[in-house]
Amino acid sequence: MLVWSRAGRILAWTAAALVFAIVYGLPIGVIALASFSGQWNDVLPSHLTLVHYANALRGDSAEQAQVSIVTGFAASAAALICGSWAALALRNLARLPKRALDVLFFVPSAVPSVSVGLALLVAFSQPPVLLNGTRAIVLIAHFVLISAFTYGNVSAGLARLPPEYEQVAESLGARPFYRLRRVILPLVAPYLIAAFSLSFALSMGELGATVMIYPPGWVTLPVGIFSLSDRGSIFDASALTMILAISTLIVLVGLSRISSKASVR
Amino acid sequence: MATPVPSHLLRSDIATAGEARSALSTAAAPSLADRRVRGIGFKDVTVAYGGLVVLDALTLEVRSGEIVALIGPSGSGKTTALRAVAGFVRPTRGRITIGDRDVTNIAPYARNIGMVVQNYALFPHMRAEENVAFGLRARGASQAVLRERVAESLRLVGMEAYAKRYPRELSGGQQQRVAIARALAIRPQVLLLDEPLSALDAQIRRSMLDELAKLHRELPSLTVLYVTHDQTEALTLADHIGIMRDGKLIAFGASRSLYRHPPNRFSAEFLGRANLLPVTSVQPIGRGLAEVRFGEAVLAATNPHGLPQGADCLLCVRPHDLRLRQGEGGHNALAGIVESVQWQGEANSIVLDVEGHRLRLTCAPLGEPPEPGTPLALAFDPHVVTLVPETSGD
Ligand SMILES: Nc1ncnc2c1ncn2[C@@H]1O[C@H](COP(=O)(O)OP(=O)(O)O)[C@@H](O)[C@H]1O
Ligand SMILES: [Mg+2]
């Protein structure tokens, strides 16, 4: 504890709670409230109702939630596999080439997502590779945007792994694949799960690139929210936002429970 | 190399009853017959990191069933030598053999080596017994062999009761034992130990040292390369000791003879903190002794390295070989002035000034320790002091 006096501690906690409430609590609270409101002309809304949630479940929104979750899982799984593979393959590289490749991997996440969407649109709307208007292009966009984070996360985990574990395993007669399966992957499991969680959360919220490339019939929740609010249906959009936030949260909480189980061992 | 490897009896290699009982022929481990003569050979092994030579033309033989300790200050290349045997560094020159197999270009997992590293590196996500079973599983041993060997290895290090614990639930000494059991479970041809006791506190280190000696009595055919910077560990355990300095092996010999007759200044100082006095050799006087001149005094000492007449050399006197004398004169007598006296429990340590040179003497606790400034007469037995060439070893 940095603050020793009791009064000081109370003051510090109050200040922190206040900042937290304004920065995080207020926007979320307003949206939550909006998702239940029938009318909002005063400071507080009136005519509280569940009709927006009913709309959400009746309309396309249920399907949009499903699309988002499927896209998130598929893109995150692909990014996890490729990012881990790259991290494993490149970890013993000399410093300079490794630095160069690290930078290269992080380029997609440094470029605005709208630019990535536009780039994919331009690149794949001509033969020989014609992906324009397919679901694959959405997956590719998400993969491109999140794979840098999985690579970075797994690389960090591998860098923290003392080389002795693998060397002892090897001296005991374990071949490369056995070492990977029984020693390396279990030891970096918390990093793999963290990488997957981060990717999934990013993918669930992705709008910039998706809105440029999504085909009819493959609308993600953020795109749905965007078009609802564009049409002025703010309350319906709010209900959808709550659904997006809660479904993302449920998946992340589930993953973090697996992760803490993995790291306790 | 300074001393020739003394010839010594080859061990008969009869397995103990315990080993014979549990000798199960599986593809996972070499059969008993395979384990007979397994030494380690370094021939001209050179290792360089980016052009910087850290192991310089090491030639050394660890005979089957022997414990050889490599000692030397930090950075002298001991770990590098050990890692070269394990296969984690590739020599730029030279060959490494295990038994009669040249392993220089063989992958580490195919070398059949037991290795214990300084921080143990027990797999944190596996219980003690799973750690011990790891090598056998990796080699596809059957369940029956697995159970038997894991139990046997844990018993050997006295850790049966802790089989179900995770590494973080074990003390440093217990983790150490599990690490040794894990290395032994695969019945390695050679066991490599890199400063295995340095992470333990003094008392546990003492008892682990006894345990290691006991372990080797129970597994007399196990060849051990033991790296340490601690001379006590080396002298207690090893049959032969090699002394490393700046990537070079500057002395090698049977532990006792290396201690008694160090071949150069560095090994005299590193192994046993010797007193070294500059002397000039005068003449041989028979029975391996030579007369030397130290200032005005004429002293007698053993001359195992055959230093010629007139050579400038060092007289090596161990602190506990110096005796306090009553009166003046006599053979092998030195006169010194007390500089300081330390009481160390079971011994007294006295530092004296002898004609401008500092000498340290240890003796049984004195009833009335001398005051600093007191003149004292010293003497030593010519058979326990040695003439050492005035070279640092390179
Ligand atoms: N991977 C490495 N890269 C570069 N230099 C190294 C590496 N490993 C060891 N060295 C150098 O080699 C020398 C010997 O190291 P080491 O064998 O670990 O010494 P010791 O075990 O005797 O303390 C040291 O100077 C050390 O800095
Ligand atoms: Mg070392």
Side-chain angles (χ1 to χ4, degrees):
Chain A
M1 256 286 161
L2 243 46
V3 183
W4 280 101
S5 78
R6 197 180 144 77
R9 267 211 295 275
I10 292 172
L11 199 71
W13 275 109
T14 315
L18 210 65
V19 169
F20 189 84
I22 291 171
V23 174
Y24 294 100
L26 198 61
I28 294 175
V30 167
I31 289 194
L33 219 52
S35 69
F36 290 109
S37 56
Q39 241 181 346
W40 196 334
N41 305 323
D42 219 332
V43 177
L44 284 176
S46 50
H47 306 97
L48 292 187
T49 168
L50 283 173
V51 70
H52 308 302
Y53 285 93
N55 286 348
L57 292 178
R58 216 179 27 247
D60 301 333
S61 316
E63 197 186 319
Q64 287 169 11
Q66 201 185 336
V67 165
S68 270
I69 289 174
V70 168
T71 307
F73 262 103
S76 301
L80 184 66
I81 291 168
C82 295
S84 306
W85 193 341
L88 282 164
L90 300 180
R91 83 194 144 127
N92 293 327
L93 225 54
R95 251 175 72 96
L96 215 64
K98 173 127 172 59
R99 271 283 178 75
L101 279 168
D102 281 354
V103 169
L104 198 69
F105 268 106
F106 277 103
V107 165
S109 57
V111 173
S113 56
V114 178
S115 318
V116 171
L118 186 65
L120 288 172
L121 202 60
V122 172
F124 294 137
S125 59
Q126 302 274 334
V129 189
L130 194 66
L131 292 175
N132 208 350
T134 65
R135 293 168 186 187
I137 199 170
V138 179
L139 282 178
I140 290 172
H142 283 219
F143 174 85
V144 166
L145 288 168
I146 63 186
S147 54
F149 293 100
T150 47
Y151 170 77
N153 245 321
V154 179
S155 276
L158 287 172
R160 281 159 158 257
L161 197 66
E164 284 86 12
Y165 289 123
E166 206 187 344
Q167 292 178 351
V168 165
E170 183 162 15
S171 79
L172 289 168
R175 284 155 192 273
F177 187 67
Y178 193 85
R179 299 200 294 274
L180 183 68
R181 198 160 57 82
R182 291 293 311 276
V183 178
I184 299 174
L185 289 183
L187 289 180
V188 297
Y191 290 90
L192 298 181
I193 294 167
F196 188 88
S197 307
L198 180 64
S199 309
F200 182 76
L202 286 171
S203 171
M204 287 295 278
E206 213 298 314
L207 176 66
T210 317
V211 83
M212 315 262 316
I213 54 176
Y214 75 96
W218 197 250
V219 183
T220 62
L221 267 182
V223 174
I225 293 165
F226 177 72
S227 52
L228 277 180
S229 64
D230 209 30
R231 274 188 263 137
S233 316
I234 297 295
F235 298 150
D236 282 336
S238 298
L240 220 50
T241 305
M242 292 310 290
I243 290 173
L244 173 65
I246 288 165
S247 50
T248 308
L249 210 61
I250 287 170
V251 173
L252 291 187
V253 167
L255 285 171
S256 82
R257 291 189 58 159
I258 301 175
S259 168
S260 59
K261 225 185 241 168
S263 62
V264 157
R265 276 185 299 137
Chain B
M1 221 164 63
T3 38
V5 180
S7 64
H8 60 286
L9 294 174
L10 271 174
R11 280 157 208 282
S12 62
D13 203 82
I14 300 161
T16 62
E19 281 179 278
R21 246 199 329 274
S22 57
L24 301 159
S25 54
T26 58
S31 71
L32 204 60
D34 264 342
R35 300 182 64 202
R36 246 175 298 136
V37 184
R38 296 299 181 191
I40 305 169
F42 293 86
K43 291 190 188 65
D44 199 27
V45 174
T46 300
V47 174
Y49 287 112
L52 185 73
V53 173
V54 298
L55 194 64
D56 195 357
L58 176 66
T59 298
L60 174 77
E61 194 192 342
V62 185
R63 302 209 185 176
S64 176
E66 207 176 50
I67 300 183
V68 166
L70 275 184
I71 70 172
S74 167
S76 56
K78 309 180 296 290
T79 298
T80 305
L82 192 110
R83 288 165 55 80
V85 179
F88 299 119
V89 291
R90 195 173 266 264
T92 48
R93 209 179 62 217
R95 320 291 315 165
I96 293 166
T97 52
I98 295 175
D100 45 18
R101 190 162 70 128
D102 185 328
V103 296
T104 316
N105 294 316
I106 290 180
Y109 65 77
R111 293 193 184 195
N112 199 30
I113 276 170
M115 187 169 83
V116 177
V117 296
Q118 200 168 341
N119 57 7
Y120 323 135
L122 290 180
F123 305 127
H125 56 299
M126 298 180 197
R127 297 174 192 277
E129 60 181 6
E130 292 164 335
N131 265 282
V132 175
F134 184 89
L136 296 167
R137 285 226 168 86
R139 290 148 188 251
S142 73
Q143 277 300 322
V145 172
L146 209 75
R147 253 197 309 278
E148 162 128 24
R149 288 278 190 82
V150 169
E152 175 193 279
S153 305
L154 284 172
R155 194 174 336 117
L156 212 50
V157 297
M159 288 293 292
E160 313 97 306
Y162 300 88
K164 300 283 180 208
R165 298 250 187 122
Y166 282 104
R168 68 191 140 80
E169 300 165 340
L170 298 172
S171 73
Q174 291 168 337
Q175 290 186 28
Q176 167 74 284
R177 287 159 195 262
V178 174
I180 292 173
R182 177 175 65 179
L184 290 178
I186 59 166
R187 298 257 171 94
Q189 297 175 337
V190 301
L191 182 63
L192 307 178
L193 301 168
D194 190 359
E195 314 233 358
L197 307 185
S198 63
L200 303 175
D201 56 49
Q203 204 172 350
I204 298 175
R205 197 180 310 166
R206 202 56 247 179
S207 72
M208 273 309 291
L209 201 53
D210 295 341
E211 296 267 336
L212 284 175
K214 177 163 154 271
L215 188 73
H216 196 245
R217 284 197 298 276
E218 286 174 32
L219 300 174
S221 60
L222 186 67
T223 306
V224 180
L225 183 58
Y226 188 103
V227 159
T228 179
H229 62 264
D230 183 302
Q231 47 140 340
T232 315
E233 292 173 25
L235 288 169
T236 309
L237 286 176
D239 304 293
H240 284 78
I241 294 176
I243 301 178
M244 304 277 302
R245 183 195 189 186
D246 298 336
K248 294 193 188 68
L249 183 73
I250 58 153
F252 182 80
S255 308
R256 208 170 282 261
S257 95
L258 199 63
Y259 181 79
R260 293 278 299 278
H261 310 302
N264 45 48
R265 174 193 275 272
F266 185 80
S267 29
E269 281 172 341
F270 197 83
L271 197 64
R273 302 217 316 179
N275 293 306
L276 295 171
L277 289 176
V279 297
T280 310
S281 169
V282 181
Q283 58 178 332
I285 52 173
R287 289 189 301 152
L289 297 180
E291 248 177 16
V292 296
R293 186 171 288 283
F294 170 64
E296 296 302 302
V298 173
L299 309 167
T302 55
N303 186 11
H305 308 299
L307 296 172
Q309 271 183 46
D312 285 333
C313 50
L314 298 165
L315 182 73
C316 165
V317 194
R318 301 289 174 187
H320 54 85
D321 287 334
L322 274 175
R323 289 195 314 275
L324 293 177
R325 271 167 39 104
Q326 315 300 326
E328 296 266 311
H331 268 313
N332 276 347
L334 292 169
I337 312 269
V338 175
E339 273 191 2
S340 63
V341 180
Q342 263 185 348
W343 179 72
Q344 297 174 329
E346 72 268 41
N348 260 53
S349 173
I350 305 175
V351 176
L352 298 126
D353 182 329
V354 177
E355 297 187 21
H357 300 280
R358 283 187 146 194
L359 284 192
R360 214 161 49 84
L361 171 158
T362 51
C363 58
L366 301 165
E368 220 168 294
E371 291 293 316
T374 320
L376 281 182
L378 309 167
F380 53 83
D381 177 352
H383 294 282
V384 299
V385 298
T386 299
L387 294 180
V388 175
E390 174 62 288
T391 56
S392 57
D394 20 49

